[in-house]
Amino acid sequence: MDIMDKEKVSVLEESVATAHRPLPDDFRSYLPWACNQLELEYAVFVNKIHQSEHYDMGISDRSKARTRSRARTVRSRADGMSDRTDDMKTGTTQQVNFVDEAINIFAVHDSNGDLVQVIFYKNKHIPRIVIKVIGLIIKFHPQLNTVQFDQGADLYTIYEFEKILPLSNITEVCFDGTFIPDGNYDILLDHELLRNLSLSRCKIEDEIIHNIAVKLVYPKPASKSLAILNLSSNRITNDGAKSLAFALRSNRCLIYLNLSGNKLTDDGAASILDSLQEFCLTPEEILASKTRYCSFYLKRNKLIVKKIKELKESDSDKSSARKKLTRSVPPSVRRKTRTDREVSLHSVHEMLPGNIIGSDSNLFDRAATMVQMAFGVYIDPFSSNNTIVKDEALYCLGNNSLLCLNLAYNDLSYIFVRKLLGILLYQKQADRKPRGLINVSIEGNNLPVACEEYRLIESIIESGIQRNLPINKKRQQSKIISR
């Protein structure tokens, strides 16, 4: 075979390979193909499954049995992800294949055929190159919002996955049952992206919890986005609970915290509850709050000054254009136009109070309105709306954003029950929006079977739920009870 024939064969082979190359929007075919092209030592096998249309990621079917249970039960989307994995194990959702000695991945598609969830299922090891390839094609899957790792991940997996987050629309990440000795989960919270992070059964200890809690302190990025944090069935003690309690002093985004199945006692659980009621601000917190306040208004005023200059230039350009137009109009028509304009301005004067048209205050008001619409109003957990002065000290009214707290199967006693009742009474009396705790789970602890505090806690929580329901649902609920 001469050189010309070899070149023709090479071109033909290249064209055949290109013809059979899958497109990056075909996740199931492209990922194994790309990993094979990169000579990955492990085969990659992707199962494509369809999302059940009736499957509710937020609330279980069991919670729909009774109206009262439906009002009281709030489950995390991480729990829903775990249920989905259980369905795959039993094959109840649909038929899936599992290949030994391969990287097994489930690609979940919705009814429109869009990829919405990726699950790494029971892998011994997930190579970095697999995550890198996903990062290269992530832009072709804008509907992907959930990723779950079920074993096989390591610190490099998290490191590479963290790079993907800013490029994607992923808001939910689950590492349930995935033990990573280095525990660098906290780097996932370096962005204002995640809404749900589940780290159940990961053998997490206090040092890792401290690193996570630091990322949840306001105004860190994750403190403005993460709403659900599942830390159940780990090795968290009172020290870890205190780190989370410190974050809750300023965090006003987290609404669901699961600490069930850990090693908390009354002391650690009480530290979390203390952040939910009135507490004295430390000098460091006061200084940080004032710094944020000054920084906000400094940026705002700079933008207003810049916007005033832009408005002046714009008005000047319009005035110049108007003069040129006036010169080109005949005198008789010019007098008529001036008269019409005077009438128009006269009507505007009557509509606006203060007769401020064309003045510097008008420019300032216009600029300030435009900046406020773009910049927003000042919001801070320790602003004047959330603090009071008492005994010559500054107190915060407490965290009222945490709605669901799961402390089941720890080492709590009757002391905690009384503490919880006091917190609920305080939040009820404060009558803020949101109200505060509306779901607390304390089963599996060393608690009395029955006591008066239980009845009062049930009553307060029930009233809080009724208060948060829309008016039409309140009326419907009252009709059911009256019957």
Side-chain angles (χ1 to χ4, degrees):
M1 184 180 295
D2 58 13
I3 297 176
M4 292 296 293
D5 291 336
K6 289 182 179 180
E7 289 181 354
K8 290 181 180 179
V9 170
S10 178
V11 172
L12 180 61
E13 289 178 348
E14 184 178 352
S15 62
V16 171
T18 303
H20 289 82
R21 182 177 64 187
L23 297 176
D25 57 355
D26 183 1
F27 185 87
R28 181 184 184 184
S29 302
Y30 188 87
L31 182 61
W33 175 86
C35 291
N36 183 55
Q37 294 296 309
L38 296 170
E39 298 182 354
L40 183 67
E41 58 181 331
Y42 300 96
V44 176
F45 189 81
V46 180
N47 266 297
K48 181 178 180 180
I49 61 178
H50 294 281
Q51 189 180 46
S52 177
E53 293 182 357
H54 61 80
Y55 186 80
D56 189 344
M57 294 286 286
I59 302 178
S60 66
D61 293 334
R62 290 189 299 270
S63 66
K64 299 178 182 178
R66 295 180 302 163
T67 304
R68 184 175 180 182
S69 297
R70 182 168 62 249
R72 292 287 308 280
T73 303
V74 180
R75 296 186 59 200
S76 72
R77 296 175 71 88
D79 295 337
M81 286 190 282
S82 299
D83 292 343
R84 175 65 59 83
T85 306
D86 293 337
D87 288 340
M88 282 189 253
K89 293 177 185 176
T90 58
T92 56
T93 301
Q94 62 184 83
Q95 186 64 34
V96 295
N97 299 313
F98 184 82
V99 180
D100 293 331
E101 303 301 327
I103 307 301
N104 288 277
I105 301 174
F106 293 96
V108 183
H109 292 71
D110 62 11
S111 57
N112 295 324
D114 296 321
L115 179 67
V116 295
Q117 183 178 3
V118 171
I119 303 174
F120 293 84
Y121 182 68
K122 300 296 182 184
N123 298 295
K124 295 180 180 178
H125 175 63
I126 303 174
R128 296 176 67 174
I129 192 65
V130 176
I131 308 300
K132 287 184 176 181
V133 172
I134 293 177
L136 292 174
I137 63 175
I138 195 70
K139 64 181 180 180
F140 296 97
H141 303 280
Q143 304 302 321
L144 177 62
N145 57 67
T146 304
V147 176
Q148 180 175 344
F149 296 90
D150 188 355
Q151 302 180 12
D154 56 20
L155 74 162
Y156 299 109
T157 305
I158 297 180
Y159 175 74
E160 295 297 340
F161 184 70
E162 182 270 336
K163 296 179 182 179
I164 296 177
L165 290 178
L167 309 174
S168 69
N169 294 319
I170 298 172
T171 58
E172 303 180 14
V173 179
C174 178
F175 282 92
D176 289 357
T178 305
F179 171 59
I180 299 176
D182 297 271
N184 58 335
Y185 309 103
D186 60 286
I187 67 173
L188 300 174
L189 300 175
D190 287 337
H191 313 282
E192 190 177 336
L193 299 170
L194 289 187
R195 290 277 298 166
N196 180 351
L197 178 61
S198 185
L199 302 173
S200 179
R201 308 185 310 278
C202 294
K203 302 180 182 179
I204 293 177
E205 298 183 348
D206 292 336
E207 183 179 357
I208 298 174
I209 288 299
H210 176 75
N211 295 334
I212 292 174
V214 168
K215 300 293 180 70
L216 297 178
V217 175
Y218 188 86
K220 297 291 181 63
S223 70
K224 304 173 186 177
S225 62
L226 192 69
I228 299 172
L229 180 59
N230 183 5
L231 298 169
S232 61
S233 302
N234 283 294
R235 301 172 179 176
I236 305 170
T237 68
N238 291 340
D239 291 338
K242 291 176 181 178
S243 297
L244 291 171
F246 180 77
L248 289 174
R249 288 169 68 94
S250 60
N251 188 296
R252 295 297 181 269
C253 185
L254 194 69
I255 62 175
Y256 177 94
L257 177 60
N258 190 341
L259 288 169
S260 62
N262 282 281
K263 301 178 180 180
L264 306 185
T265 66
D266 293 333
D267 186 33
S271 65
I272 293 177
L273 295 185
D274 285 338
S275 66
L276 310 182
Q277 66 177 347
E278 188 179 294
F279 59 85
C280 183
L281 295 177
T282 64
E284 292 78 13
E285 289 173 330
I286 296 174
L287 178 61
S289 177
K290 290 183 177 179
T291 302
R292 293 192 295 268
Y293 181 85
C294 294
S295 176
F296 176 88
Y297 280 99
L298 181 62
K299 293 179 180 178
R300 175 179 174 274
N301 292 340
K302 286 183 178 179
L303 285 176
I304 290 176
V305 171
K306 181 180 178 181
K307 187 60 66 175
I308 288 176
K309 292 180 179 179
E310 293 176 356
L311 290 174
K312 283 184 177 180
E313 293 176 357
S314 177
D315 291 346
S316 177
D317 293 341
K318 290 179 180 179
S319 177
S320 300
R322 194 179 299 114
K323 288 180 180 179
K324 292 180 180 179
L325 181 63
T326 303
R327 294 193 190 100
S328 62
V329 176
S332 58
V333 178
R334 191 184 308 166
R335 284 192 295 271
K336 183 178 179 181
T337 305
R338 187 183 300 113
T339 304
D340 293 341
R341 184 167 63 253
E342 289 173 355
V343 173
S344 177
L345 286 177
H346 180 70
S347 62
V348 172
H349 278 274
E350 293 177 349
M351 292 171 60
L352 295 178
N355 196 13
I356 59 175
I357 296 223
S359 64
D360 291 337
S361 60
N362 182 33
L363 279 177
F364 177 83
D365 291 341
R366 288 166 59 193
T369 301
M370 296 172 69
V371 170
Q372 183 172 349
M373 291 177 62
F375 211 58
V377 296
Y378 178 70
I379 299 176
D380 193 89
F382 303 143
S383 64
S384 58
N385 295 331
N386 299 320
T387 55
I388 58 173
V389 177
K390 187 170 63 174
D391 299 331
E392 299 183 354
L394 190 63
Y395 284 77
C396 178
L397 297 178
N399 184 325
N400 63 319
S401 300
L402 185 68
L403 305 182
C404 305
L405 179 61
N406 192 337
L407 296 173
Y409 298 98
N410 280 279
D411 191 18
L412 308 181
S413 69
Y414 175 69
I415 297 175
F416 172 78
V417 177
R418 298 188 62 181
K419 178 77 172 180
L420 175 62
L421 176 59
I423 297 297
L424 294 174
L425 287 172
Y426 168 80
Q427 291 185 333
K428 180 181 179 180
Q429 183 178 6
D431 196 26
R432 300 161 67 197
K433 292 184 179 180
R435 168 75 170 265
L437 290 176
I438 59 173
N439 186 293
V440 182
S441 179
I442 54 176
E443 62 180 352
N445 287 284
N446 186 24
L447 302 174
V449 177
C451 62
E452 178 64 16
E453 285 81 1
Y454 288 162
R455 186 187 65 80
L456 295 174
I457 289 173
E458 290 280 346
S459 175
I460 295 173
I461 289 180
E462 199 69 36
S463 65
I465 294 174
Q466 291 294 323
R467 182 177 178 272
N468 291 335
L469 287 175
I471 296 177
N472 57 343
K473 290 189 177 181
K474 283 184 182 179
R475 292 175 179 171
Q476 183 179 4
Q477 183 82 358
S478 63
K479 289 181 180 179
I480 294 175
I481 293 175
S482 64
R483 291 179 182 176

